[in-house]
């Protein structure tokens, strides 16, 4: 499968714990995006990378959220000190370049208890 | 942020054309219009995009008005598998802003 993959697909954690999600983009894609989706809503843009450079992070929901793409390939999204309001689907997408379509992964569903 | 407006839901009979409208009156001249769909519990799937001209691919057609304030996605022969939430999105410097989309119900 050469599509975007995300790991894990499901994560249940207790409030206050840290969680990290991984995204592997399509191999030739330079751009990688993170979104959050809550029930009944469309995906909400969080941040994106051009290769290893994080070009936009003002939409990250708080300073508890951080993302990295150290070698310009896979990316991680970390949430520190999780809260129940962080429960959502976290989606990753990649694209070849600017103004090219984004291809989405299956998402990681986070449940904070 | 450019915003798009879509009806919350639409019905379509199987085999008929589904025409999904979208208003994007605040779109700027260099922003593309993208359409995605999302089937329950899956990631959004790319359908089509355009800037000024009408576009067609194997999935759908995209009709953009001359003033670019609105567009219509056309699924020429809807099937039950086309039941999904359809999102019309403007691409503001590569940041996609999804609204709540249109829930298309294709009925036999």
């Amino acid at each position: 499968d050469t599509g975007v993959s995300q790991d894990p697909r499901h994560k249940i954690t207790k409030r206050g714990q840290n969680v990290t999600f991984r995204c592997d983009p399509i191999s030739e894609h330079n751009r990688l995006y993170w979104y959050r989706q809550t029930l009944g809503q469309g995906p909400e843009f969080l941040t994106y990378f051009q290769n290893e450079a994080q070009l936009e992070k003002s939409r990250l929901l708080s300073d508890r959220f951080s993302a990295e793409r150290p070698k310009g390939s896979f990316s991680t999204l970390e949430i520190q000190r999780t809260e129940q309001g962080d429960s959502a689907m976290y989606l990753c997408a990649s694209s070849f370049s600017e103004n090219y379509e984004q291809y989405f992964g299956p998402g990681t569903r986070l449940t904070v208890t | 942020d450019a915003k798009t407006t879509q009806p919350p839901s639409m019905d379509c009979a199987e085999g008929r054309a589904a025409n999904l409208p979208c208003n994007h009156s605040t779109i700027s001249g260099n922003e593309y219009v993208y359409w995605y769909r999302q089937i329950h519990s899956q990631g959004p799937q790319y359908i089509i995009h355009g800037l000024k001209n009408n576009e067609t691919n194997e999935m759908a057609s995209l009709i953009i008005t001359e003033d670019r304030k609105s567009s219509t996605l056309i699924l020429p022969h809807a099937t039950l598998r086309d039941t999904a939430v359809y999102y019309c999105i403007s691409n503001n410097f590569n940041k996609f802003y999804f609204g709540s989309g249109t829930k298309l119900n294709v009925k036999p």
Side-chain angles (χ1 to χ4, degrees), chain B residues 5-6 10-11 14 29 31 39 43 50 54 60 62 64 68 70 72 75 78 83 89 91 93 100:
Chain B
T5 305
Q6 300 176 253
M10 292 182 64
D11 292 337
E14 188 179 19
E31 287 184 62
I39 297 170
N54 297 338
L62 175 60
I64 303 174
R68 298 202 345 111
S70 66
T72 300
L75 306 179
T83 293
I89 305 156
N91 179 11
F93 298 103
S100 298

Side-chain angles (χ1 to χ4, degrees), chain B residues 6-72:
Chain B
Q6 300 176 253
S9 65
M10 292 182 64
D11 292 337
C12 178
E14 188 179 19
R16 304 299 292 267
N19 297 283
L20 292 93
C22 177
N23 287 323
H24 33 78
S25 58
T26 61
I27 197 170
S28 64
N30 60 350
E31 287 184 62
Y32 283 76
V33 176
Y34 287 75
W35 283 83
Y36 281 75
R37 72 181 183 184
Q38 189 171 27
I39 297 170
H40 184 61
S41 297
Q42 298 181 20
Q45 177 191 20
Y46 167 77
I47 301 173
I48 199 167
H49 74 285
L51 183 63
K52 294 180 181 179
N53 300 320
N54 297 338
E55 303 287 344
T56 296
N57 63 20
E58 64 277 6
M59 289 183 69
S61 295
L62 175 60
I63 308 299
I64 303 174
T65 58
E66 192 170 343
D67 62 8
R68 298 202 345 111
K69 293 185 183 300
S70 66
S71 61
T72 300

